[in-house]
Structures are given as structure tokens and as C-alpha cells.
Amino acid sequence: MYRMSEKPLIGADKICERVATLAREIVAVYDYDILLSALTGAYMFTADLSRELAKAQGVKALQRKIAFIKASSYGVSTESSGNLTVTGLEKVDISGKKVLLVDDIADTGSTLLGLLNMLRERGAKEVRSCVLLNKQERRTVDFKADFVGFEIANEFVVGYGLDFADDYRTLPEIWTLQETD
């Protein structure tokens, strides 16, 4: 059994402010062609980030594409299975393009490293990564996100798109999920 923490780890206002700042940081240094979102966990972050990127880019935003893939390695557990499943990438033309890969969280790093390698194998000109949350202490592979919203401790988190067995995604804040006795 699991229960949510008594208060949010990161409140909705703080998320909103950081996403806007993160968009400006990205636009200042990276002129991407395609924003590629790893669903399902990143759906809320991607929606908010893409709006903030458009504000920061102005008319250049009209030249940017957005695409979605489904990437998963968790299933119904609080631990990554280590098995990366990706669907939808075959529908996205990234050959010769600069890609901004957006995901909800960098945990062990295996999912993001696997995605980066797939994108490079498919001919992406350049790939940079953006994550809402980074759990550096959980890293098991050599991966460092280019753009990070928040550094967090090694706790299982839900809300703002992140889930546990498809629950909690619609919460506007980020909460920790704790095991009960």
C-alpha cells in the first residue's frame, strides 16, 4: 500500500514559474527543429513547456514541430524494469534535424540514454534533453540532461503527469508517494 505525502514536494506555482524560466533558458542556447515528448508522464510538462517556448520564441515558434512517442520502463512498479519500450518513433522524421527530447524525470537515466541513442541512430543532427525532474543519486548510466527543471532526492514522485500504475497523473503539484506498513 502507498499513500501521498502530507504536502506537495513542489507546488503548482513553483512548477509554473520554473517551466517559464526553463523555456527561456532553452531558447537562449538551443535552436531546435522538433520538440519530441516522451509520453505519458511528460504530457503536462510538455504542454506547459511548449506554450512557454512559443512565448519565448515569438514568430520562430511557427517553424517548430512537436511530436510524441510513448516510452516506458516502469509498468506498475515504483522501480524501473530496465526494459525500454518505445512506440511512435517510426512516425517521426528526425533525420538531419535538431531534436529537443522532453521527459518527465531522469531517474536511473536508462530510458533517456536509450532514447538519445535511438534518435542518433535514426539520423538526428543533434539531440538535447530536457527533464522536469532529475534524481542524480539514482543514476546508473552515464547520462546528464541538458536542461533540468528541478533536482530532487531519491523519492518516488507522482502528479503533474507522473503516475503510479496510471493514478495521480492529473494532480497539478508533485507529491511523494510513500509505502505504508
Side-chain angles (χ1 to χ4, degrees):
M1 298 287 293
Y2 296 91
R3 67 175 171 80
M4 283 182 14
S5 54
E6 293 190 21
K7 63 179 184 170
L9 178 65
I10 307 171
D13 289 344
K14 192 171 182 181
I15 293 169
C16 184
E17 290 170 15
R18 180 63 185 130
V19 171
T21 302
L22 192 57
R24 290 189 299 273
E25 291 171 8
I26 292 166
V27 169
V29 298
Y30 191 49
D31 190 26
Y32 65 92
D33 301 308
I34 300 172
L35 184 153
L36 183 63
S37 177
L39 297 175
T40 304
Y43 84 93
M44 214 179 272
F45 176 44
T46 300
D48 290 344
L49 181 65
S50 65
R51 281 190 290 267
E52 292 298 332
L53 286 166
K55 287 179 194 176
Q57 292 166 334
V59 73
K60 285 183 88 176
L62 299 173
Q63 301 164 348
R64 305 293 179 260
K65 305 273 189 255
I66 187 166
F68 300 91
I69 58 173
K70 178 115 171 132
S72 177
S73 65
Y74 276 83
V76 293
S77 173
T78 59
E79 293 289 325
S80 174
S81 68
N83 297 320
L84 177 59
T85 303
V86 178
T87 56
L89 190 54
E90 68 282 354
K91 298 175 185 175
V92 183
D93 178 17
I94 60 168
S95 182
K97 305 281 193 316
K98 293 168 73 175
V99 178
L100 178 63
L101 176 62
V102 177
D103 203 358
D104 53 0
I105 190 165
D107 192 344
T108 65
S110 296
T111 298
L112 282 157
L113 184 61
L115 286 171
L116 289 172
N117 289 336
M118 285 180 192
L119 296 173
R120 289 179 182 126
E121 287 170 8
R122 290 183 163 272
K125 179 179 180 179
E126 183 180 358
V127 182
R128 294 204 190 168
S129 57
C130 177
V131 296
L132 177 65
L133 305 172
N134 187 48
K135 285 189 197 178
Q136 190 60 45
E137 67 185 87
R138 291 266 302 153
R139 201 72 79 242
T140 59
V141 297
D142 185 18
F143 171 80
K144 183 175 186 243
D146 297 292
F147 305 100
V148 175
F150 299 95
E151 296 284 344
I152 63 169
N154 184 19
E155 298 179 284
F156 192 81
V157 290
V158 295
Y160 195 69
L162 293 101
D163 76 303
F164 173 66
D166 285 327
D167 290 331
Y168 307 99
R169 283 193 201 279
T170 59
L171 296 169
E173 311 89 4
I174 295 172
W175 300 74
T176 59
L177 196 63
Q178 302 159 341
E179 198 166 0
T180 59
D181 295 331

